[in-house]
Amino acid sequence: MKKNIRPVTLLSLGYLITILLGTILLMLPIASNSGEMTSFIDSLFTATSATCVTGLVVADTYATWTMFGQIVIIVLIQIGGLGFMTIITLLFMLFKKNIGIFNRTVLMQSAGSFNISEVTVLLKRIIIGTFLFEGIGAMILTFAFSKQMPISQAIYYGIFHSISAFCNAGFDIFGAKGGSLTGFADNYLVLTTLMCLIIIGGTGFIVWSDLIDSKFKFKKFQLHTKMVIVFNTLLIVIPAALFFISEFTKINPNYSAYDFTIGEKILNSFFLSVSPRTAGFNTVSLTSLNSSSKLLTIILMFIGGNSGSTAGGLKVTTFIVILANLISIARGNEKVVLFKRKVDDKIIKQSSALFIVYLATTILATLIITTIENFTLEEVLFEITSAIATVGLSVGISAGAKYAITKLLIIFLMYAGRLGALALFSVFVKRKNEYVLEQPKGRILVG
């Protein structure tokens, strides 16, 4: 039976079953503050958003769900963040069951490991690292929140938002009045802690493992780790500077709307840069952002985090390989070289295919929703990118959609984004054996 099931198919089914179970639990009257059964479509949307660590919602999390419902959501976030197969393998280990080759292969694809023999070691590091960082984050946030609420509530809020941030989910329970984290726009401790959790969670499990093995010596890092560390840093610092210029200087005619000190402006600029990759929290109103800031946010959401992490999107390494290939072609070079290492042609093809699938899916979904809904192109593109990149930043389309088909489309995009758009596409494509004989070359004009 296992031989007939491809790893990506098992992962697809695993996430689907998790979503459906979450949907059933959220439909129960005990999960709703109204005491009534929540509609299937809204429960499915919320369960998908949580499992796919997105953060898009059709209704305010605090106002809609009871503590039972919120706990269901945070459990789904944890499962989605760690990965379905990580949870299954953890249960295998707890019950002292052997982890077979097939399960190791599936886990390797789920966690982003390069070597099947190192999967169990990576799994232990994932579990220990996850609960260690989430625990530290929860304690710091509890301390910060305790200044504004009772200690019991602060503990609960600390745990919830630590898990949500580390898993890059973006769910919050501060209520619609709070507007995500807008009430903490001047709180250095809360925002810095959340940014650290988002960055650590979005860095990737394979990078953590390599950092430990190389004892944090850059020269010993694998190529993947070097790319993540260097380019991830650039993709935080440079956009932060652009956000600062666009939103918090006199270039922006509405900059006085933000009553921030210079330090708070810098803090929020960095948060605007970190959150789209792919956490979904916001400290300033998204609808009040400049068009340039919205476009920059869309670009950051599309790029996303890193492979093998809790983040979604195209992924940083994929984006850099595509960019390096473009530069190489422009220079007339046949090889793509990064950090004195040649990039495999297979990786270049895969990166290009990923870009095409993500771009085509985003354009098609945007075209469909702009046709049936009364939203602007900018709003739709923003929401669609947020969904497929599993970010969770919203300009109100998910909650304000008029037709169920819009919500179903966004649900599909979140699911595809968590599993990987190309991976999901491959589930429905029948594999063919490669030709043994090399086919004759055909000439095609391009460019």
Side-chain angles (χ1 to χ4, degrees):
M1 180 67 178
K2 289 182 179 178
K3 291 181 179 179
N4 297 325
I5 301 177
R6 292 161 57 190
V8 67
T9 305
L10 183 61
L11 289 173
S12 303
L13 292 173
Y15 280 113
L16 183 59
I17 292 170
T18 304
I19 290 169
L20 292 176
L21 289 174
T23 301
I24 293 171
L25 291 175
L26 290 176
M27 287 180 68
L28 299 175
I30 193 177
S32 172
N33 279 323
S34 66
E36 300 176 355
M37 183 176 289
T38 306
S39 68
F40 173 76
I41 187 70
D42 287 350
S43 298
L44 177 64
F45 191 104
T46 305
T48 304
S49 183
T51 306
C52 299
V53 290
T54 305
L56 289 175
V57 295
V58 290
D60 178 66
T61 305
Y62 174 80
T64 305
W65 308 107
T66 61
M67 181 173 285
F68 174 81
Q70 292 172 15
I71 291 174
V72 170
I73 289 172
I74 206 64
V75 169
L76 291 175
I77 289 172
Q78 190 70 88
I79 293 173
L82 280 173
F84 167 75
M85 275 308 299
T86 303
I87 302 296
I88 296 299
T89 309
L90 175 60
L91 293 175
F92 269 66
M93 294 173 65
L94 289 175
F95 289 101
K96 298 181 179 180
K97 299 288 185 179
N98 291 327
I99 305 173
I101 296 297
F102 178 78
N103 290 329
R104 288 173 183 265
T105 303
V106 179
L107 182 62
M108 182 177 71
Q109 182 163 336
S110 176
S113 176
F114 293 122
N115 196 329
I116 194 170
S117 63
E118 299 174 355
V119 165
T120 52
V121 175
L122 179 60
L123 173 65
K124 291 177 182 178
R125 289 176 176 177
I126 289 173
I127 295 169
I128 293 172
T130 296
F131 291 111
L132 175 64
F133 289 121
E134 287 180 351
I136 294 172
M139 287 189 289
I140 297 173
L141 291 175
T142 297
F143 171 75
F145 294 151
S146 65
K147 297 179 181 180
Q148 302 181 16
M149 59 187 71
I151 186 64
S152 58
Q153 185 181 4
I155 293 172
Y156 174 61
Y157 273 52
I159 294 172
F160 188 100
H161 293 95
S162 180
I163 294 174
S164 183
F166 181 82
C167 293
N168 282 214
F171 277 86
D172 73 89
I173 48 176
F174 291 111
K177 187 177 180 180
S180 188
L181 299 176
T182 54
F184 297 90
D186 60 348
N187 194 312
Y188 289 85
L189 183 59
V190 170
L191 297 192
T192 302
T193 302
L194 291 175
M195 280 192 287
C196 288
L197 288 169
I198 293 166
I199 292 169
I200 294 170
T203 296
F205 304 124
I206 192 68
V207 175
W208 295 358
S209 190
D210 189 35
L211 289 174
I212 294 171
D213 292 337
S214 61
K215 298 180 180 180
F216 296 89
K217 294 181 180 179
F218 187 82
K219 290 183 178 180
K220 294 184 178 181
F221 290 169
Q222 295 178 5
L223 175 59
H224 175 80
T225 304
K226 289 180 179 179
M227 289 175 65
V228 168
I229 297 298
V230 173
F231 294 109
N232 204 38
T233 301
L234 293 175
L235 284 170
I236 292 174
V237 175
I238 295 175
L242 294 176
F243 277 122
F244 183 84
I245 294 170
S246 177
E247 292 298 320
F248 303 112
T249 67
K250 291 184 179 181
I251 293 176
N252 177 5
N254 298 319
Y255 81 103
S256 59
Y258 302 110
D259 188 20
F260 295 152
T261 64
I262 185 66
E264 291 165 357
K265 289 178 180 180
I266 294 172
L267 175 68
N268 282 272
S269 296
F270 272 98
F271 200 88
L272 281 168
S273 178
V274 170
S275 187
R277 318 253 324 285
T278 55
F281 294 115
N282 61 282
T283 57
V284 297
S285 173
L286 296 176
T287 55
S288 66
L289 293 178
N290 283 337
S291 293
S292 58
S293 294
K294 288 180 181 177
L295 178 59
L296 179 57
T297 302
I298 290 172
I299 293 171
L300 291 174
M301 290 193 295
F302 189 83
I303 294 173
N306 301 299
S307 302
S309 73
T310 59
L314 181 68
K315 302 298 190 300
V316 173
T317 47
T318 306
F319 173 73
I320 296 304
V321 167
I322 293 170
L323 192 60
N325 187 38
L326 288 174
I327 295 172
S328 180
I329 292 172
R331 290 176 173 176
N333 298 332
E334 294 184 0
K335 299 178 181 178
V336 176
V337 178
L338 288 166
F339 295 99
K340 299 180 180 180
R341 293 289 186 273
K342 179 183 178 296
V343 180
D344 195 310
D345 290 340
K346 185 178 180 181
I347 299 298
I348 297 172
K349 288 182 180 179
Q350 186 177 356
S351 298
S352 300
L354 279 166
F355 178 78
I356 292 170
V357 170
Y358 271 93
L359 184 62
T361 305
T362 301
I363 292 173
L364 180 60
T366 301
L367 178 62
I368 293 172
I369 293 181
T370 49
T371 302
I372 63 177
E373 295 280 0
N374 189 27
F375 296 109
T376 66
L377 175 61
E378 183 182 79
E379 291 171 335
V380 175
L381 182 60
F382 191 101
E383 199 91 3
I384 291 302
T385 307
S386 181
I388 196 170
T390 69
V391 180
L393 293 175
S394 176
V395 288
I397 290 179
S398 296
K402 185 178 180 181
Y403 300 101
I405 186 66
T406 300
K407 292 181 181 179
L408 289 172
L409 180 57
I410 293 174
I411 287 171
F412 172 77
L413 291 173
M414 291 189 292
Y415 178 65
R418 180 64 185 99
L419 186 65
L422 186 59
L424 183 62
F425 180 72
S426 69
V427 172
F428 303 101
V429 178
K430 186 177 180 181
R431 279 190 171 182
K432 291 185 177 181
N433 295 326
E434 293 185 4
Y435 294 106
V436 177
L437 298 175
E438 185 175 348
Q439 300 302 303
K441 294 180 179 179
R443 287 185 170 184
I444 302 174
L445 291 176
V446 295

